[in-house]
Amino acid sequence: MSKHKVLLLGATGETGGDVLTGLLEDNTFAVSLLVQPSSADKSANQAFKERGLPIIIGDLNGSVDELSKVISGFQTVISTIGAADQKTQLTLVEACALAKTPRFIPCGFTTVCPPGGVMSLRDDKEVVYQRILREKVPYTIIDVGYWHQISFPKLASGKIDYATLVPRNDVFHDGEAKTLLTDKRDMGRFVARIIKDSRTLNQKVFTYSDSLSQNEIIALLEEKSGEKVETTRVSASELLARRDQARKDYEAVNEDPTFWMKRMMRSQTEYQVSKYLRKDNTVDNAKYLGYLNARELYPDFQPIKFEQLLDEVLAGKGQRPYVGRF
Ligand SMILES: NC(=O)c1ccc[n+]([C@@H]2O[C@H](COP(=O)([O-])OP(=O)(O)OC[C@H]3O[C@@H](n4cnc5c(N)ncnc54)[C@H](OP(=O)(O)O)[C@@H]3O)[C@@H](O)[C@H]2O)c1
C-alpha cells in the first residue's frame, strides 16, 4: 500500500522534531520536509537528507503560485512554525488552497485558549485560522496543552536544573487551577493518529495525558524527590500587573517588535493568566470551544504520563528543550 504523503514544515524545531519522530515511528507516512531557502544548507537539514528524508525548498515570503507548485501532491501539509512567525503561514494557506491540499495542519500545538485578547500568540494563530476558513482549505487544528517538559519547578538542591527552562518557582493565585499537559514526545504520535482520521477533518482536536494543578505537581515532585519545593506565591492581581507591564514593555520596543526577551515575557505572563486565572486550558473549556478530545477518539493511546517524565528527570534522563537557544 502506498504511504500517506506528508509535507512537514519545522522539522529542525522543537515541535516539528517531535512531530517528525512520531510520524516516522508510525511507519505509514512518506514524509518530506519543507525548508526555507535560507536554511537549505543548515547541518540539521543535511542530516535529514542523509537519513533519506526529501528536502523541499519553499519560500513562505515568496509568491503563492510558486509555493503551491512546491507543495502540490501532498495529502497532508503540517506547519510547526515558531511562535513569532505565525502569520508567515498566510502564504502557505493560500498555496494549500491553490494546490487543493486535502488537509492542512496549521501551527496550533498550544494550550486551549479562546481568541480575542487573552494570548497574543493565540490571536496570531487565529488570523491564520480565519484565512483557512475564508479559502475553504480542509484543515485540522491540533492543540496539546502545555508540555510536561516545561511544567515542573526546580528543586533547591539544583538536582533537576539541567532539565528545566522555568526560571522561578512561582505559584499563581491559589495554585489549584488544573491545566492540560502533554509530553512533547507524544505530539507526533497523536498527530499520526489524527491526520489519518476522517472524523478530525475540519475540526479542532486537543491532546493531553494529565490535567494537573501547580499544587498537585509540587506535591508529586516533593514525594518523588524527598525534597521540599520552595515556592513564591503570586496573587492574581500581581500576575495581572506583571502581564500588563510585559505587554507595555513589548509595545515599547518599537525599533524591533520581535525582540525575543520582551516577547517571551509577554508570552509567559499571557500563558499564566490564561492557564491559572482564566482556567482556559481544561477539558471542559476545550469541549465548550468545540474541540474533539483525542483521548476519547483514541482510547487505546497510552500517553506518557507526567509522573513518568518526573521519574526520568529525577533519574538524570530528562531532556531540556531549546538546548543552545534559551
Ligand atoms: N504547548 C506548549 O507547551 C508549547 C511550547 C513551546 C512552543 N509551542 C508552540 O509550538 C509551535 C512551534 O514552536 P517551536 O518552539 O516548536 O518552534 P521552533 O523550535 O522555534 O522551530 C520553528 C521551526 O519553524 C521553521 N521555520 C521558521 N520560519 C520558517 C519559514 N519561513 N519557512 C519554513 N520553515 C520555517 C524553523 O526552521 P529553520 O531551521 O529554517 O529555522 C524551525 O524548524 C508554536 O506555535 C508555539 O506556540 C507550544
Side-chain angles (χ1 to χ4, degrees):
M1 209 174 74
S2 66
K3 289 190 167 181
H4 179 135
K5 289 183 75 184
V6 174
L7 182 62
L8 172 65
L9 177 155
T12 58
E14 287 291 334
T15 303
D18 289 314
V19 168
L20 177 63
T21 304
L23 293 177
L24 296 180
E25 196 180 281
D26 189 85
N27 210 24
T28 62
F29 300 100
V31 185
S32 298
L33 307 179
L34 182 62
V35 170
Q36 57 184 330
S38 57
S39 297
D41 296 329
K42 234 178 163 175
S43 60
N45 286 322
Q46 294 307 318
F48 286 137
K49 221 189 247 178
E50 280 158 27
R51 285 169 60 190
L53 290 159
I55 302 279
I56 313 268
I57 305 297
D59 190 357
L60 270 58
N61 297 306
S63 89
V64 172
D65 270 8
E66 281 306 310
L67 191 61
S68 79
K69 285 179 202 145
V70 162
I71 67 164
S72 135
F74 288 96
Q75 284 159 272
T76 304
V77 172
I78 304 176
S79 167
T80 63
I81 202 160
D85 298 314
Q86 296 299 304
K87 291 182 196 162
T88 317
Q89 294 173 101
L90 291 173
T91 339
L92 188 54
V93 175
E94 306 268 354
C96 285
L98 205 57
K100 302 210 179 317
T101 302
R103 184 172 338 213
F104 176 51
I105 313 295
C107 186
F109 303 106
T110 188
T111 48
V112 171
C113 173
V118 181
M119 288 193 357
S120 314
L121 174 63
R122 178 64 184 79
D123 289 350
D124 285 355
K125 291 178 193 287
E126 186 65 19
V127 173
V128 178
Y129 301 163
Q130 288 185 7
R131 184 65 61 90
I132 289 172
L133 298 180
R134 193 185 84 180
E135 298 303 320
K136 301 191 174 77
V137 173
Y139 70 95
T140 306
I141 292 164
I142 303 172
D143 282 320
V144 299
Y146 217 56
W147 299 342
H148 291 1
Q149 282 79 358
I150 49 177
S151 296
F152 56 86
K154 291 181 171 181
L155 291 173
S157 64
K159 184 178 171 186
I160 61 173
D161 283 7
Y162 79 96
T164 183
L165 271 177
V166 179
R168 291 187 299 226
N169 285 357
D170 288 343
V171 174
F172 299 99
H173 186 45
D174 59 6
E176 289 295 321
K178 300 262 192 196
T179 191
L180 299 170
L181 301 169
T182 296
D183 190 295
K184 70 195 285 295
R185 293 167 293 179
D186 273 338
M187 288 191 292
R189 297 176 186 135
F190 275 117
V191 169
R193 298 280 189 112
I194 292 166
I195 65 174
K196 283 191 284 194
D197 187 345
S198 59
R199 295 173 298 174
T200 62
L201 193 62
N202 302 331
Q203 301 287 341
K204 296 188 292 247
V205 184
F206 74 102
T207 76
Y208 71 109
S209 69
D210 299 83
S211 170
L212 293 172
S213 69
Q214 288 191 286
N215 290 345
E216 288 171 320
I217 288 173
I218 289 162
L220 255 177
L221 184 57
E222 287 185 339
E223 183 194 317
K224 285 179 179 294
S225 67
E227 285 189 46
K228 182 100 188 92
V229 175
E230 288 164 12
T231 59
T232 305
R233 187 73 59 178
V234 178
S235 68
S237 57
E238 170 62 15
L239 173 54
L240 289 169
R242 278 189 193 177
R243 191 268 322 261
D244 292 347
Q245 187 59 49
R247 283 179 168 174
K248 275 191 202 133
D249 290 347
Y250 177 77
E251 294 304 329
V253 189
N254 291 327
E255 69 280 12
D256 178 10
T258 61
F259 183 54
W260 73 270
M261 194 57 176
K262 298 270 191 293
R263 192 185 166 91
M264 183 78 84
M265 284 306 296
R266 183 184 67 164
S267 174
Q268 284 309 308
T269 54
E270 289 181 344
Y271 263 123
Q272 288 155 356
V273 169
S274 174
K275 289 191 297 178
Y276 303 126
L277 300 187
R278 291 181 43 85
K279 302 179 184 158
D280 287 325
N281 188 35
T282 65
V283 172
D284 285 349
N285 194 44
K287 288 194 171 163
Y288 166 74
L289 291 171
Y291 282 79
L292 300 177
N293 181 340
R295 298 295 300 287
E296 289 174 2
L297 293 172
Y298 317 114
D300 62 312
F301 188 101
Q302 302 278 328
I304 300 168
K305 299 288 287 176
F306 186 73
E307 270 202 72
Q308 184 183 328
L309 185 274
L310 280 189
D311 287 337
E312 289 171 9
V313 168
L314 286 164
K317 295 178 184 152
Q319 180 89 50
R320 193 167 77 79
Y322 301 106
V323 171
R325 291 171 62 189
F326 304 125

